[in-house]
Amino acid sequence: MVARRSVSVFGSTGSVGRSTLDVIAAHGGAGTWDVEVLTGGSNAALLAEQARATRAKLAVIQNEDALPTLREALAGTGIEAAAGDAALLEAAGRRVDVCLSAIAGAAGLAPTMAAIRAGSTLALANKESMVCAGGLVRQEVDKAGTRILPVDSEHSAIFQVLEERHSEAIDRIVLTASGGPFRAYSLEQMRAVTPEDAIAHPQWSMGVAISLDSATMFNKGLELIEADQLFPVAAHRIEILVHPQSIIHSMVGYRDGSILAQLGTPDMRTPIAYALGWPRRVDAPVERLDFVALSRLDFEAPDDIRFPALRIAREAMEAGALAPCAMNAAKEVAAEAFLTRRIPFLEIAVVVECVMESFDHGPAATSLDDVIAADRDARALAREVMERRARQFA
Ligand code: NAD
Ligand code: MG
């Protein structure tokens, strides 16, 4: 058993958040962990249940309308309840041994920054923080003297096999991708897919937004940028490889021809356990990999004609500055429009590309305010693009 550790989970009611609480429960629960803060978007009932089960000190719900429900559900427990964005930031400012950042989307950036500034070790699932503000995040990490432990499965894999003492000898990073539910679809078939088709991921059980991002492959695009921000490897040395079974979670190739890979069943509880336990390895409640049952692993080259998100993301990464932030913001707006059946699936990438063509991604951000402004402007531009195209094709 490791020493007691304090932990906060931002986005505990989501897919990664729930898996995190599973790992905490399997690894001693309240006997090992001092759970400081849990947060959710609007599911106050689940948040209260989680806070009671883990004996958290504070539960924060982002949606202020849900505060009365949260308060009522926590009455008599001594667990503090709070709501709103300011309360989230205050909570992220409470220093803990490890803060798991698992809010979905660009909304996770400000709490992530606050957690770093507080000096908490950051277990980072919210890839959008690195995409939108990688430079600032790294700067704050250095200033606070803390560190990032990647939770995204690919980045956890790379982190696990990247030997720092050999970083000069890295030849390439191979970022694996399942290819999503439409891996084998033609463009013609993709024209007619529904939100239900798009969020049914073949290998991973995840939140709605990231499931859709896997279908468009924007998720891999975001992960490419995330890898570029996290690891000391030139961007052109990061390759994407489609691997439908999602057993190899990513690889690092060295100059001598050796390739180190991390493998496991597709279950987020493994990379979460790695981050929570680091620098040790702890138990995770996951199925063991059965190689005989698996019998084979397949690989394919990525196709950026059917999945233009891969090309758009690489271009945004190369453009640098606020281009990745704008890409993510436009993608979030277009994805939401698809999920609410206002645009077809293939329009998501078209909208993002139109935004990227006219967005002035300017000089690199020097503050969080610059990032928030770029995010807001790109969202407005995406809405304009969608309106213009709707008129054009009406
Ligand atoms: P999810 O949608 O299941 O959960 C998101 C959490 O954030 C929920 O608790 C939700 O209530 C909260 N939330 C949403 N909007 C919010 C807002 N504006 N303010 C505050 N809280 C808000 O998402 P998820 O699938 O768990 O993904 C979370 C993050 O982890 C994302 O950045 C995703 O890309 C990343 N990630 C997820 C997986 C996965 O397997 N699900 C894998 C790798 C990385
Ligand atoms: Mg991933």
Side-chain angles (χ1 to χ4, degrees):
M1 223 9 86
V2 296
R4 293 193 71 76
R5 300 184 81 187
S6 57
V7 61
S8 290
V9 184
F10 281 73
S12 64
T13 60
S15 171
V16 170
R18 281 177 277 127
S19 293
T20 302
L21 295 186
D22 275 359
V23 173
I24 287 175
H27 187 57
T32 303
W33 297 93
D34 291 318
V35 177
E36 184 75 29
V37 180
L38 297 182
T39 85
S42 47
N43 189 345
L46 176 59
L47 179 62
E49 187 188 312
Q50 293 178 332
R52 282 172 174 267
T54 57
R55 290 180 236 156
K57 294 196 182 68
L58 167 65
V60 184
I61 194 88
Q62 195 265 340
N63 180 346
E64 300 187 20
D65 295 340
L67 183 58
T69 313
L70 182 64
R71 282 228 166 95
E72 198 178 319
L74 290 176
T77 60
I79 300 168
E80 273 180 88
D85 289 326
L88 275 174
L89 287 186
E90 188 277 325
R94 297 190 180 191
R95 192 191 161 143
V96 281
D97 291 327
V98 54
C99 178
L100 202 127
S101 164
I103 287 176
L109 174 58
T112 300
M113 280 295 215
I116 296 169
R117 286 188 184 133
S120 303
T121 294
L122 188 71
L124 185 64
N126 180 262
K127 64 193 80 185
E128 293 85 354
S129 293
M130 294 317 287
V131 170
C132 298
L136 286 178
V137 168
R138 287 185 287 122
Q139 225 172 293
E140 291 292 336
V141 164
D142 288 346
K143 219 193 283 174
T146 182
R147 65 165 65 234
I148 299 177
L149 304 170
V151 170
D152 209 347
S153 57
E154 296 77 4
H155 305 75
S156 172
I158 297 163
F159 185 69
Q160 292 183 47
V161 300
L162 195 153
E163 301 176 302
E164 225 160 76
R165 68 187 190 283
H166 292 147
S167 62
E168 293 296 305
I170 294 172
D171 173 48
R172 58 180 173 154
I173 283 179
V174 181
L175 201 61
T176 52
S178 71
F182 307 141
R183 176 178 59 84
Y185 278 39
S186 66
L187 275 172
E188 200 45 50
Q189 286 172 304
M190 277 192 248
R191 238 179 272 286
V193 298
T194 65
E196 292 72 22
D197 301 330
I199 64 173
H201 197 280
Q203 304 299 349
W204 295 90
S205 153
M206 309 184 286
V208 169
I210 182 174
S211 297
L212 172 56
D213 287 351
S214 300
T216 55
M217 292 198 78
F218 267 112
N219 182 50
K220 212 49 57 179
L222 297 176
E223 291 183 354
L224 174 70
I225 299 169
E226 182 187 13
D228 180 47
Q229 290 295 336
L230 286 174
F231 304 114
V233 177
H236 70 272
R237 293 186 180 274
I238 309 175
E239 294 169 14
I240 293 171
L241 175 68
V242 176
H243 164 43
Q245 293 97 345
S246 300
I247 296 298
I248 298 180
H249 298 306
S250 280
M251 308 184 250
V252 177
Y254 294 90
R255 277 202 214 148
D256 59 6
S258 280
I259 293 176
L260 302 192
Q262 186 261 350
L263 286 71
T265 50
D267 188 325
M268 285 304 293
R269 291 175 297 189
T270 294
I272 291 167
Y274 189 78
L276 288 186
W278 191 89
R280 301 171 190 237
R281 286 193 184 263
V282 299
D283 289 342
V286 301
E287 238 179 82
R288 294 297 178 257
L289 193 55
D290 179 341
F291 284 99
V292 176
L294 190 64
S295 85
R296 55 183 277 178
L297 297 175
D298 296 307
F299 305 99
E300 294 167 17
D303 177 356
D304 58 8
I305 304 291
R306 287 180 305 128
F307 298 100
L310 297 173
R311 176 181 47 78
I312 297 170
R314 197 169 279 278
E315 285 167 5
M317 175 176 71
E318 282 159 7
L322 288 158
C325 168
M327 179 193 78
N328 178 67
K331 186 272 298 172
E332 287 189 20
V333 170
E336 180 59 28
F338 167 70
L339 289 172
T340 51
R341 296 180 161 78
R342 287 176 286 135
I343 62 171
F345 181 76
L346 292 177
E347 272 288 294
I348 300 174
V350 175
V351 170
V352 176
E353 186 140 46
C354 288
V355 169
M356 298 311 281
E357 273 160 15
S358 53
F359 189 83
D360 174 12
H361 56 74
T366 56
S367 71
L368 196 52
D369 288 344
D370 293 346
V371 180
I372 291 167
D375 176 272
R376 186 194 52 224
D377 293 350
R379 280 171 203 271
L381 206 48
R383 284 189 283 268
E384 266 173 51
V385 166
M386 287 193 298
E387 278 166 30
R388 193 176 68 227
R389 290 181 61 83
R391 279 197 305 274
Q392 241 170 2
F393 299 111

